[in-house]
Amino acid sequence: MRAFLRGRVSARSLRTTFAVSFAAVAAVVTVLVGLLSYDAAARLVRVDQKAVFNEVVHDLRVQVKEEKLTPYDFASGDPDHDGPRDDLIRPSRTDVQILGSGGVIVDRGSPQLPVNAADRQTADYEKPGRTSDGKGVVGPGSRRDVQLAGDGYRMTTVSLGGGRGAVQIAQQFSDTEDLLRQLQRRTGVVALAVILASAFVGWWLARRITRRLVRLAGAAEEVAGTGHLDVRVPVEGGDEVGSLGRSFDRMLGRLARSIEDQRRLVQDAGHELRTPLTSLRTNISLLRRIEDLPPAAREELIADLAQESRELTDLVNELVDLAAGKEDDEPVVEVALAETAEDVAVLARRRTGREIAVRATGDTVIQGRPASLQRALSNLVENAAKFDRGGTEPIRIVVTGGIPDGVRVEVLDRGPGIADTDLERVFDRFYRAPAARSLPGSGLGLSIVQEVASAHGGRAFAERRTGGGAAIGFTVRGVRTGADL
């Protein structure tokens, strides 16, 4: 109960925890995915740009080696746009600048590319296809990065051979970096949107979940504050919260039934105790004049006191057993009801002097509480002996196993039988048929039979026997688990 009340107090913090948790998980996942995606995209774009640049340089080197080209072959004034210069510009949008002998600029690029001593030296090379990075490094992969008008370029210089000049090729990569930075910003915006959306979804989901928890906590608080168990408990939903609500509702139902049973037991017990107590008080008052009574009356008075005290003791013991539910403390083991019937028959023969016959068929072994089952069967035999006083036929115990109801146990007698009006009430607590009110007993024996049968997954039954007498017994399947209750 306290846990429910604490849950009501902390409902808001639970919503916040859900929202923050969702946002945190979304943030981690989004950042990781964003970083990995951006890094992969940036690598692919940069590698692709470099590959295009290297391919253009390679094609130019092959071309100048195979053909004896001059700087004027790369002039920008070709009206058909099908010259060597156009072949360089078309695939990669590169900037081309032509150098003559001595590194003199013959045709400027747009923008104009820088020319240094290394580039001039490359223009005077005898061998075609030699490249330079502008720092004196010559080789197939020679290139350098430069800044022109605030933009970044990668460039290289390729010799035409024979000292005729060189071709400078530059590829702008700053626009690619700008594109990647824009992609980075957009990725950040999307990540932030995902995080905020996740936080909202987490808050909304937590609100849906905690709303039912708050209602459940309210029901628990109402029960704690008022003591009323007829409180409506929210049980909607098929998830764990719905299962908790149904469990709580079943718990309140069982508590209500238990309290009602206790109240009824106390009322019935008070009613039943008044009779023997009144009789005892009357007989005790007669003890004051016991000297004035004749010997026969004295013996009768003492016998009445002893009988009433025994009945009162038996009644109190049965009430205590019913109220305490001792059978629940008994361990569950395999019980062979055929053997239990034999044990009960031996005790009943010694107590009553009557002949008790036992007949068992089928598998009579169940999982149960042996002492409780033995007491239930003993109550049936004692009840039969009480109503069939002076009978000549044996009292029969029939145990039948392997039936759909589990195991059936019944006790057959040839007594006066049971009236139609009493068949449905013989198992009620303290109920005693008119024909039995003059006989000793508390009216709890058959009620205990019903309790034991119910605890073992069965039911008690009472029937009139063909030819006279009664057939009273019970069916059992085995001790029920918590899920079955």
Side-chain angles (χ1 to χ4, degrees):
M1 193 69 69
R2 294 177 180 174
F4 279 116
L5 298 179
R6 286 196 297 269
R8 182 180 178 88
V9 174
S10 61
R12 293 179 181 270
S13 62
L14 184 59
R15 294 178 186 177
T16 304
T17 301
F18 264 97
V20 172
S21 299
F22 268 73
V25 172
V28 172
V29 173
T30 304
V31 168
L32 287 177
V33 172
L35 288 177
L36 293 175
S37 300
Y38 172 78
D39 183 67
R43 286 177 181 272
L44 288 175
V45 171
R46 288 169 179 153
V47 168
D48 183 66
Q49 290 291 319
K50 288 182 180 180
V52 171
F53 181 77
N54 292 336
E55 184 177 356
V56 171
V57 173
H58 176 267
D59 291 344
L60 176 61
R61 292 179 65 237
V62 171
Q63 186 178 24
V64 298
K65 288 180 181 180
E66 294 178 350
E67 303 177 28
K68 188 176 181 180
L69 300 175
T70 65
Y72 299 101
D73 292 326
F74 292 92
S76 58
D78 183 5
D80 296 332
H81 299 288
D82 57 356
R85 183 189 185 99
D86 297 310
D87 293 338
L88 297 176
I89 296 174
R90 190 178 299 115
S92 60
R93 301 187 304 277
T94 55
D95 185 18
V96 178
Q97 181 168 279
I98 310 303
L99 303 180
S101 298
V104 177
I105 297 177
V106 175
D107 194 342
R108 292 181 180 180
S110 179
Q112 181 178 333
L113 302 181
V115 180
N116 56 24
D119 296 325
R120 297 186 186 95
Q121 184 181 3
T122 302
D124 291 335
Y125 278 146
E126 289 295 326
K127 293 183 177 181
R130 303 299 297 272
T131 59
S132 171
D133 65 351
K135 299 179 181 179
V137 178
V138 179
S142 300
R143 66 178 62 87
R144 70 179 184 270
D145 295 338
V146 297
Q147 289 290 326
L148 302 176
D151 295 324
Y153 287 80
R154 62 173 60 90
M155 64 172 290
T156 188
T157 304
V158 180
S159 66
L160 297 176
R164 293 187 298 274
V167 178
Q168 289 184 303
I169 302 175
Q171 180 190 54
Q172 184 180 355
F173 60 81
S174 59
D175 57 346
T176 301
E177 296 299 325
D178 292 340
L179 177 63
L180 292 176
R181 281 192 291 272
Q182 186 178 7
L183 176 62
Q184 189 177 31
R185 287 193 297 271
R186 291 186 178 180
T187 302
V189 171
V190 172
L192 180 60
V194 171
I195 293 171
L196 293 177
S198 300
F200 174 76
V201 171
W203 178 85
W204 175 79
L205 183 60
R207 185 172 179 271
R208 285 181 59 87
I209 296 175
T210 56
R211 180 174 57 188
R212 289 181 291 163
L213 287 175
V214 169
R215 292 173 59 190
L216 192 58
E221 187 175 2
E222 184 176 352
V223 171
T226 64
H228 297 158
L229 299 178
D230 56 345
V231 176
R232 184 179 180 277
V233 179
V235 295
E236 63 270 12
D239 55 5
E240 288 81 356
V241 179
S243 177
L244 177 62
R246 286 186 288 273
S247 298
F248 186 64
D249 189 52
R250 287 195 297 269
M251 179 189 70
L252 289 181
R254 294 200 64 185
L255 284 175
R257 289 193 297 272
S258 177
I259 291 175
E260 176 62 23
D261 289 343
Q262 289 181 0
R263 184 188 64 79
R264 185 160 52 88
L265 178 63
V266 170
Q267 290 177 347
D268 293 343
H271 174 75
E272 292 297 323
L273 286 171
R274 289 191 187 99
T275 300
L277 288 175
T278 301
S279 180
L280 279 175
R281 283 197 301 268
T282 301
N283 288 330
I284 289 173
S285 66
L286 291 176
L287 288 176
R288 301 174 186 268
R289 298 183 294 109
I290 193 171
E291 297 295 336
D292 300 333
L293 298 176
R298 294 178 188 178
E299 293 296 331
E300 184 179 356
L301 176 61
I302 294 174
D304 287 344
L305 285 171
Q307 177 66 25
E308 289 166 357
S309 64
R310 283 194 299 270
E311 292 184 7
L312 186 60
T313 300
D314 292 340
L315 175 60
V316 170
N317 290 335
E318 290 175 341
L319 286 173
V320 170
D321 289 345
L322 282 174
K326 285 185 178 180
E327 67 275 2
D328 292 341
D329 298 330
E330 187 181 357
V332 177
V333 297
E334 281 193 352
V335 181
L337 290 175
E339 297 179 4
T340 303
E342 293 289 354
D343 294 338
V344 169
V346 171
L347 293 175
R349 292 186 191 107
R350 185 165 57 246
R351 290 176 181 175
T352 65
R354 293 290 302 276
E355 182 182 355
I356 311 294
V358 178
R359 179 167 59 87
T361 58
D363 183 9
T364 65
V365 178
I366 65 166
Q367 293 289 327
R369 297 184 172 94
S372 299
L373 292 167
Q374 183 171 350
R375 181 175 185 185
L377 189 50
S378 295
N379 286 353
L380 291 177
V381 175
E382 291 174 2
N383 184 76
K386 179 173 65 175
F387 282 93
D388 190 15
R389 287 185 177 181
T392 57
E393 287 191 22
I395 297 174
R396 301 184 184 279
I397 303 175
V398 180
V399 184
T400 308
I403 62 175
D405 290 338
V407 179
R408 178 184 176 94
V409 180
E410 57 185 333
V411 175
L412 311 175
D413 64 63
R414 288 299 184 184
I418 304 174
D420 292 338
T421 56
D422 297 329
L423 282 175
E424 298 298 329
R425 301 193 58 191
V426 292
F427 296 104
D428 293 346
R429 290 177 181 174
F430 301 108
Y431 178 76
R432 302 181 71 186
R437 291 172 185 171
S438 60
L439 299 175
S442 62
L444 290 175
L446 295 183
S447 176
I448 293 175
V449 172
Q450 186 180 47
E451 295 281 345
V452 173
S454 177
H456 287 77
R459 63 179 184 87
F461 61 87
E463 302 169 353
R464 288 194 302 274
R465 188 181 177 190
T466 303
I472 305 178
F474 57 87
T475 62
V476 287
R477 293 180 180 272
V479 173
R480 294 183 293 176
T481 63
D484 299 323
L485 294 176

